């Protein structure tokens, strides 16, 4: 419903823009949220964008700019005069400015930095030094600092005086003379306290903080575990250098989930939305794994070829190959996905590997027997009904299913844990790679069982 | 590093508990976060839990209780006296109480409701009426209400007076005499305003709210799009009935990502962590899809059987079946996962289906040709080197690869969109189901091409 309305509104805005009804447009735009205005921009023709952007009030313009995708941002910057660019840059929070700079080509970056005032330029340069995906790279350096000897009343006054250009005022950080973090307090605590309570008595001293170099995924996971609105970032000497706010943490959680899902489907991860990625860009993300997996299927081909004579004597065996490798692949990916997600959410560690294997072993016996029985009945009643050796062939296929599912579950659950142990990303170990391993193993089991039971 | 420390601390707590050093234990526990204390509980022997719980100060005890898993909660409640249970229930926020009640068996629920005071019991019963996974089911009814004619100073006073037992005080809701939501304002705006500014002049009137029945995933997505800390929930008459806070929205985003991942791997979704789910529970989640997928492989078997005579004359063709179906499955799941994730994040809608198909068609030609060329070279140099008809067989396999990948990408990208259109969950359309469809189609292409090229 709301989706539909947004589309209609976009059409209205386009018509008003064509008719140059700028005052009406401004009245409409100021009632909208930055995220929705950005969506309107992304659907406009290029030449219309600068006109619409100039209609926006300064602060809303900057907030909308932050929500746009890279291409729209770059296009707009190219059309900006220096003073227009300065107006936008002045309104940005430091961490948003850094995000922008990381996505823009070098010549645009130079223009942005030239327009930023000296203090902001210094802060931007500090933040750019941190490695990608670290806490330092997503933090902001604008936050409220209190000293321990202030009273609650003084603290509130300070917040009222300095809060305007801070990304959050609700969590305040208490530091000593050396800028070391000694406690945190919240506006809630300060408001609910008596006016002359001292900050040092109100503050929480057991602060959970993260190091500038800590991985952003772990940082985001802390928000989800502890229900924080902001998390302080400290250097190796425990000096407070920035904070990460919850809106950035949510973005990280979403990005990391997308990355995991992409890796599980053998797609190289990217941080661009699907519709914004070019055909060539998608091709480059997908082909490497397709090639690797195709080449690794050489093993399965070789196994089948080496049993060529056995196959040619009971040719019907080859018709069950896709069902067997498919069931093995599905069983393996079920196990791997369960383990990968539990690793991502911090529910299990490598040391639980034997518990996990023992659990998967029991599950695989239950699953394997269920599938084997169902399959045996199906083969005897339908597929093999009336064939020579129907009973023995059905037995071969059903025994193979049990063996395949046990092996697939054990491989599927242990590979992600081993990957984590040696420092690889467990998600890469998911479906396709595990399928390839399971395919080979299930074929070996199949032909092994067939050779014994059918005396091939 | 921090993980290691937590483990050691758990050991220390166990030793102190054995030695009955309760004062020392209390000193340690009050420095810890509820989430971490809950983790300690979950690793304790059952009979130790009530002892440790009684050491915790009242408020911390309730906060810790909320973070525990169902089994630990249930076990503790069984050991509580009525007055102990009342102490915990009194400290819970209403939405946490509802979460607890939804997980507990009927006899425990009765005990909890008996201990809740009348007002809370009424609120709990209201919330329990909303359907599972709706905005109503995750909202809390404790929030700050202001009236439009208050001044900023009066508003702050009201917050200081009533804020203690509210889950968040930072977003305040302005309602008219009929309890209809007319605006929101924040503590930040109130603090930064002049004392005698009126709330009605400070408030934001274009409020984004959700209906009680809106799906929780869409609610959570709004937090991520608009950077809210809380979102108001209204009934059909736009009367304010509750708010959803960001900590609950994050939990929903995490849960929904897990569910999507599970569905993509043909696992029925559950809301229990992997290590807490019994072998039987995991079996029940995994077997249904394994059975369905195994039975659907009947199609592939039937296709292979119907080409039995062709296969027996060029038996080597069967050795490439796993590679071809595997490549098709992988190519299809790459496309489906990209589309499913874009749907989840609200980046595409059904109306984009032709854009998506045209994009995937171009990608699939690039991918298909790349794989076909690589495969042709490999077959000629290695696998088929020296065989009769090597060139023609390599040609059959390579042409099949191109056709398979085109079909797989088109099927993989369109099925999730169609599923969304007819109201199914797109994630269910992912890997395994698409693999089965792709397997059959790729075999038909394979034998079709082979029949023509090799004159079988």
């Amino acid at each position: 419903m709301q989706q539909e309305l947004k589309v209609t509104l976009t059409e209205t805005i386009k018509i008003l823009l064509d008719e140059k009804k700028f005052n009406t447009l401004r009245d409409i735009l100021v009632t909208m949220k930055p995220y929705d205005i950005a969506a309107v921009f992304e659907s406009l023709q290029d030449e219309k964008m600068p006109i619409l952007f100039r209609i926006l009030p300064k602060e809303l313009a900057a907030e909308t700019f932050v929500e746009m995708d890279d291409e729209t941002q770059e296009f707009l910057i190219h059309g900006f005069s220096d003073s227009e660019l300065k107006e936008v840059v002045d309104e940005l929070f430091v961490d948003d400015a850094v995000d922008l700079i990381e996505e823009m080509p070098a010549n645009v970056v130079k223009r942005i930095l030239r327009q930023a005032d000296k203090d902001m330029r210094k802060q931007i340069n500090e933040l750019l030094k941190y490695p990608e995906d670290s806490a330092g790279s997503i933090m902001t350096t604008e936050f409220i600092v209190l000293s321990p000897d202030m009273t609650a009343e003084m603290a509130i006054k300070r917040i009222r005086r300095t809060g305007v250009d801070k990304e959050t005022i609700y969590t305040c950080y208490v530091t000593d003379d050396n800028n070391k973090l000694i406690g945190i307090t919240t506006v809630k605590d300060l408001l609910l306290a008596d006016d002359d309570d001292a900050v040092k008595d109100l503050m929480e001293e057991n602060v959970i903080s993260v190091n500038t170099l800590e991985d952003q995924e772990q940082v985001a996971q802390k928000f989800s575990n502890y229900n924080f609105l902001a998390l302080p970032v400290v250097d190796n000497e425990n000096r407070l250098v920035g904070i990460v706010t919850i809106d950035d943490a949510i973005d990280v959680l979403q990005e990391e989930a997308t990355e995991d899902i992409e890796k599980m489907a053998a797609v190289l991860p990217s941080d661009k939305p699907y519709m914004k990625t070019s055909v060539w860009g998608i091709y480059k993300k997908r082909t490497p794994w397709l090639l690797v997996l195709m080449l690794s299927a050489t093993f399965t081909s070789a196994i089948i070829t080496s049993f060529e004579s056995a196959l040619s004597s009971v040719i019907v065996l080859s018709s069950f190959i896709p069902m067997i490798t498919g069931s093995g692949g599905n069983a393996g990916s079920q196990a791997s996905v369960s383990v990968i997600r539990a690793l991502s959410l911090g529910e299990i560690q490598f040391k639980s590997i034997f518990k996990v294997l023992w659990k998967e072993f029991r599950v695989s016996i239950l699953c394997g027997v269920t599938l084997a029985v169902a399959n045996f009945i199906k083969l005897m009643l339908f597929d093999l009904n009336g064939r020579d050796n129907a009973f023995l062939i059905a037995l071969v296929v059903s025994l193979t299913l049990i063996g395949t599912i046990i092996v697939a579950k054990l491989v599927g659950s242990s590979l992600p844990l081993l990957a984590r142990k040696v420092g690889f990303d467990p998600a890469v170990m998911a479906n396709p790679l595990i399928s390839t391993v399971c395919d080979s193993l299930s074929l070996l089991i199949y032909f092994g069982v067939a050779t014994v039971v059918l005396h091939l």
Side-chain angles (χ1 to χ4, degrees), chain A:
Chain A
M1 189 60 199
Q2 282 201 315
Q3 204 65 44
E4 300 294 328
L5 279 178
K6 199 152 76 182
V7 173
T8 325
L9 188 54
T10 305
E11 297 311 314
T12 311
I13 289 173
K14 281 181 187 168
I15 293 166
L16 290 170
L17 202 51
D18 285 337
E19 295 173 350
K20 301 199 168 48
K21 301 220 162 133
F22 299 138
N23 285 331
T24 318
L25 271 174
R26 193 186 162 101
D27 288 345
I28 296 176
L29 290 171
V30 294
T31 71
M32 293 172 65
K33 307 284 170 201
Y35 173 82
D36 295 324
I37 306 177
V40 173
F41 270 90
E42 285 160 24
S43 72
L44 282 185
Q45 291 164 286
D46 285 354
E47 70 270 20
K48 302 278 183 194
M49 285 190 209
I51 307 170
L52 193 66
F53 196 79
R54 286 183 187 118
I55 297 172
L56 291 170
K58 235 194 294 182
E59 201 184 319
L60 186 59
E63 284 169 10
T64 303
F65 189 78
V66 170
E67 300 287 342
M68 293 175 185
D69 62 48
D70 312 349
E71 280 130 64
T72 313
Q73 287 175 333
E74 196 180 333
F75 181 83
L76 276 174
I77 292 179
H78 279 301
F80 283 164
S81 69
D82 279 354
S83 66
E84 280 176 321
L85 181 58
K86 186 170 171 48
E87 273 181 9
V88 172
V89 172
D90 281 349
E91 293 283 337
L92 292 180
F93 289 118
V94 173
D95 58 340
D96 291 329
V98 170
D99 287 348
L100 178 65
I101 282 173
E102 282 174 336
E103 299 300 334
M104 293 294 118
N107 58 336
V108 176
V109 169
K110 267 188 207 151
R111 273 193 70 199
I112 296 173
L113 286 178
R114 223 182 303 129
Q115 296 312 321
D117 64 35
K118 206 179 134 198
D119 186 46
M120 188 169 198
R121 200 158 52 229
K122 205 181 129 206
Q123 288 183 52
I124 290 174
N125 281 325
E126 281 299 318
L127 289 181
L128 283 174
K129 280 186 209 143
Y130 295 106
E132 207 187 349
D133 296 345
S134 68
S137 75
I138 54 168
M139 73 186 184
T140 179
T141 48
E142 296 155 319
F143 47 85
I144 303 242
V145 177
L146 303 175
S147 59
D149 297 319
M150 286 178 163
T151 62
E153 192 183 6
M154 287 160 67
I156 295 280
K157 271 203 187 125
R158 177 179 202 137
I159 293 168
R160 296 181 75 157
R161 211 176 52 239
T162 63
V164 169
D165 55 356
K166 302 293 184 270
E167 200 165 331
T168 180
I169 65 162
Y170 299 133
T171 312
C172 307
Y173 301 87
V174 188
T175 56
D176 67 10
D177 298 340
N178 299 317
N179 202 22
K180 295 206 176 169
L181 180 64
I182 55 175
I184 61 169
T185 186
T186 62
V187 165
K188 182 173 179 179
D189 291 336
L190 291 171
L191 280 179
L192 300 182
D194 289 329
D195 282 347
D196 47 5
D197 286 349
V199 166
K200 65 167 170 282
D201 300 323
L202 293 170
M203 71 187 186
E204 159 83 271
E205 287 173 69
N206 286 283
V207 183
I208 292 196
S209 60
V210 294
N211 188 278
T212 46
L213 300 179
E214 192 159 336
D215 184 73
Q216 62 172 3
E217 188 171 6
Q218 283 168 34
V219 176
Q221 199 56 50
K222 288 211 166 89
F223 277 86
S224 147
N225 292 345
Y226 297 108
N227 298 342
F228 293 135
L229 295 182
L231 199 54
V233 185
V234 295
D235 65 12
N236 291 331
E237 275 80 49
N238 197 34
R239 281 184 303 239
L240 183 64
V241 290
I243 63 169
V244 176
T245 49
I246 193 163
D247 53 317
D248 296 316
I250 287 189
D251 291 344
V252 170
L253 287 174
Q254 299 266 67
E255 266 171 41
E256 299 284 346
T258 304
E259 253 190 57
D260 275 8
I261 289 173
E262 287 181 337
K263 284 180 194 157
M264 287 178 196
V267 179
L268 297 180
S270 86
D271 47 12
K272 264 199 176 177
Y274 173 73
M275 290 305 272
K276 300 277 170 192
T277 314
S278 66
V279 168
W280 185 247
I282 296 179
Y283 166 74
K284 282 193 294 183
K285 282 166 55 190
R286 293 187 185 169
T287 306
W289 270 113
L290 282 183
L291 274 174
V292 169
L293 295 170
M294 183 189 79
L295 294 177
S296 70
T298 308
F299 292 109
T300 54
S301 299
I303 293 169
I304 294 178
T305 311
S306 71
F307 287 92
E308 212 174 307
S309 64
L311 264 185
S312 61
S313 66
V314 193
I315 191 87
V316 70
L317 284 180
S318 70
S319 75
F320 302 116
I321 289 178
M323 187 273 289
I324 289 170
T325 56
S327 296
N330 290 332
S333 74
Q334 287 181 332
S336 69
V337 158
S338 300
V339 169
I340 289 166
R341 191 64 187 160
L343 278 170
S344 281
L345 297 178
E347 286 165 11
I348 53 174
Q349 285 91 43
F350 178 75
K351 67 184 166 78
S352 320
I353 188 165
F354 293 109
K355 267 194 210 164
V356 171
L357 284 177
W358 172 231
K359 188 164 216 162
E360 289 296 332
F361 179 68
R362 287 175 294 162
V363 172
S364 67
I365 290 187
L366 287 174
C367 284
V369 170
T370 307
L371 259 69
V373 169
N375 184 62
F376 189 84
I377 295 171
K378 178 176 99 83
L379 291 189
M380 291 306 287
L381 291 183
F382 304 103
D383 307 56
L384 297 175
N385 196 357
R387 282 216 182 224
D388 295 344
N389 275 337
F391 177 81
L392 286 182
I393 294 173
L395 189 67
V396 167
V397 176
S398 300
L399 288 177
T400 301
L401 265 179
I402 297 179
T404 297
I405 285 171
I406 293 174
V407 169
K409 294 262 185 225
L410 295 180
V411 171
S413 55
S414 54
L415 278 191
L417 285 164
L418 291 170
R420 167 63 59 93
K421 181 72 181 174
V422 298
F424 286 142
D425 185 334
V428 175
M429 291 293 138
N431 307 353
L433 199 60
I434 282 176
S435 294
T436 308
V437 176
C438 292
D439 282 358
S440 301
L441 293 173
S442 58
L443 286 174
L444 287 174
I445 295 172
Y446 191 29
F447 293 123
V449 173
T451 310
V452 172
V453 175
L454 299 172
H455 308 292
L456 297 176

